[in-house]
Amino acid sequence: MAANATPGLQMRATKQCISASCDISKLSNISFSFGSKRNPFTDFSGSSYISLTKPIHSFKSASIKFERMVTKAMSEASEQVPVPGLPIDLRGKRAFIAGIADDNGYGWAIAKSLAAAGAEILVGTWVPALNIFETSLRRGKFNESRVLPDGSLMEIAKVYPLDAVFDSPEDVPEDVKANKRYAGSSKWTVKEVAESVKQDFGTIDILVHSLANGPEVSKPLSETSRKGYLAAISASSYSFISLLRHFLPIINPGGATISLTYIASERIIPGYGGGMSSAKAALESDTKVLAFEAGRKHKVRVNTISAGPLGSRAAKAIGFIDMMINYSLSNAPLQKELYAEEVGNVAAFLASPLASAITGATVYVDNGLNAMGVGVDSPAFSGLGIPKENKN
């Protein structure tokens, strides 16, 4: 299929060799097209696992060759050479992404993949972060990270203030209304934002939930307060129900919704506390039920992406993310770094007609770590000849 005839995202493989001589810490300094840092949980700007922000010096990957999928934007202006593969074409589609407050998160990476495929991008930003985000965007501080694979800049049609903890104005307590961080902003509850989007654009086709907050995430679950537990559930899982409830009437039939989850929903991850594991489990269960309801009533698909452990400011709040990254590099079937752009690419696929029969699914983007039942780096498995890092 000729690139000049079909704009969109093109998936193709490029060989990338990681051997004993290739230090992961060096890989983390390579510049890629998608940002990978994140805000702390308390920033409420998105889900909690984004790619590496500092080198890991204690681990070198195994002597394994693999192919890494990269995206290539196709456009009439930038590409005249036919590119083999199947295009992700989202031209004419409009996406609302809840949970972008900077240019360094999963939400941003998803926005870029959707934009590269031709979608129009709308953004919902946590109210206290709105001014900084809009100022940085206006002053060009995000220009470098806005560059799409074809060299153009990602455009954001409109930024809306959003606090997905509150469904309607009646739910907002007086202390929040009086908070100076909310001064100057209006119509930022979920219901009001949906109404504003309808008034401004009529309909959307894609809804992305990139929100998570656990105020007591560093506490063991058994020591989590009721208030902290319910706050995690409210901000990280019910917020998706609320978004879908209010946006569903304006999502075009055939549309798609995507949220972000984590393997702690179904496996024990010590240190990932405060009710966050419960919130992710609820989100995945809700994905199935909402897929049925939204599919039957509106012909809208509902899926969630389970991403692997990645270093970020959000994950740093937990305090053990470097250990989890090393664990993944040692034990996942694919011994390589995980990038935010890889999550973005999967989101673009799930939002596209190519995934028209996929709904109610949890899609793992974690180098296969979810498939493992044991940690093969344990001395207990030393006699099995399992391929490991080559230190020679």
Side-chain angles (χ1 to χ4, degrees):
M1 183 175 293
N4 60 356
T6 313
L9 273 185
Q10 186 78 19
M11 307 300 293
R12 71 177 186 180
T14 58
K15 290 188 177 180
Q16 179 177 349
C17 176
I18 291 191
S19 65
S21 62
C22 182
D23 197 319
I24 292 294
S25 66
K26 295 178 182 178
L27 283 179
S28 66
N29 292 325
I30 297 175
S31 176
F32 291 90
S33 61
F34 292 143
S36 59
K37 300 177 185 176
R38 291 299 316 279
N39 284 338
F41 272 92
T42 52
D43 277 355
F44 194 60
S45 62
S47 195
S48 52
Y49 332 96
I50 306 305
S51 83
L52 220 53
T53 57
K54 71 176 184 178
I56 296 177
H57 301 289
S58 60
F59 183 86
K60 292 186 179 181
S61 67
S63 181
I64 298 174
K65 290 185 178 181
F66 61 90
E67 292 186 346
R68 176 177 170 215
M69 297 304 297
V70 298
T71 57
K72 183 177 181 62
M74 299 185 299
S75 67
E76 296 179 354
S78 65
E79 190 69 51
Q80 299 296 326
V81 181
V83 180
L86 201 59
I88 296 177
D89 188 354
L90 296 176
R91 289 172 298 170
K93 305 297 184 181
R94 182 177 297 116
F96 181 87
I97 302 161
I100 297 181
D102 57 29
D103 63 341
N104 294 313
Y106 272 140
W108 183 268
I110 291 172
K112 288 187 69 173
S113 286
L114 297 178
E120 182 179 22
I121 304 300
L122 312 178
V123 168
T125 298
W126 189 44
V127 184
L130 179 67
N131 184 56
I132 295 176
F133 178 73
E134 289 189 315
T135 300
S136 297
L137 191 64
R138 185 172 60 253
R139 294 180 178 177
K141 292 184 178 180
F142 298 155
N143 281 358
E144 184 176 351
S145 56
R146 285 173 59 202
V147 178
L148 298 175
D150 68 353
S152 65
L153 295 182
M154 176 180 68
E155 297 293 339
I156 298 177
K158 188 165 183 176
V159 179
Y160 293 87
L162 171 67
D163 193 329
V165 168
F166 304 107
D167 302 321
S168 64
E170 295 74 26
D171 299 322
V172 182
E174 291 301 322
D175 62 325
V176 174
K177 292 179 181 179
N179 192 312
K180 63 180 181 180
R181 295 192 298 173
Y182 287 76
S185 295
S186 61
K187 297 182 179 181
W188 43 259
T189 65
V190 177
K191 178 181 179 181
E192 291 173 303
V193 173
E195 290 173 346
S196 295
V197 171
K198 180 180 180 179
Q199 181 178 352
D200 295 338
F201 296 94
T203 61
I204 64 172
D205 303 277
I206 302 162
L207 175 66
V208 178
H209 176 275
S210 181
L211 300 167
N213 184 35
E216 297 182 19
V217 65
S218 60
K219 290 184 178 181
L221 182 59
S222 59
E223 297 177 14
T224 299
S225 69
R226 183 184 297 270
K227 181 179 180 181
Y229 183 91
L230 295 178
I233 294 289
S234 174
S236 307
S237 53
Y238 186 79
S239 57
F240 178 62
I241 297 175
S242 180
L243 280 169
L244 188 60
R245 173 187 174 189
H246 291 94
F247 275 86
L248 200 52
I250 66 170
I251 300 178
N252 290 317
T257 73
I258 301 165
S259 63
L260 293 166
T261 185
Y262 181 48
I263 193 64
S265 63
E266 53 185 290
R267 301 282 191 272
I268 300 169
I269 307 293
Y272 190 74
M276 282 302 300
S277 59
S278 307
K280 293 303 183 182
L283 182 64
E284 292 180 22
S285 178
D286 295 341
T287 295
K288 296 179 175 63
V289 177
L290 293 172
F292 175 78
E293 296 177 357
R296 289 297 183 98
K297 294 179 181 179
H298 299 273
K299 298 183 179 179
V300 170
R301 296 181 293 110
V302 182
N303 293 297
T304 188
I305 295 174
S306 182
L310 301 168
S312 66
R313 289 193 295 271
K316 296 297 181 184
I318 305 173
F320 65 101
I321 190 61
D322 287 347
M323 179 187 70
M324 292 304 298
I325 293 171
N326 281 339
Y327 180 87
S328 181
L329 287 167
S330 296
N331 294 287
L334 298 178
Q335 290 186 277
K336 69 178 187 63
E337 226 180 317
L338 182 63
Y339 299 96
E341 67 175 1
E342 294 176 297
V343 173
N345 294 344
V346 172
F349 162 72
L350 289 174
S352 77
L354 296 179
S356 60
I358 301 176
T359 192
T362 298
V363 180
Y364 297 93
V365 186
D366 62 356
N367 290 325
L369 186 62
N370 72 92
M372 301 300 298
V374 296
V376 296
D377 59 347
S378 169
F381 298 97
S382 59
L384 295 182
I386 297 173
K388 297 182 180 180
E389 60 172 316
N390 187 345
K391 295 183 178 180
N392 295 329

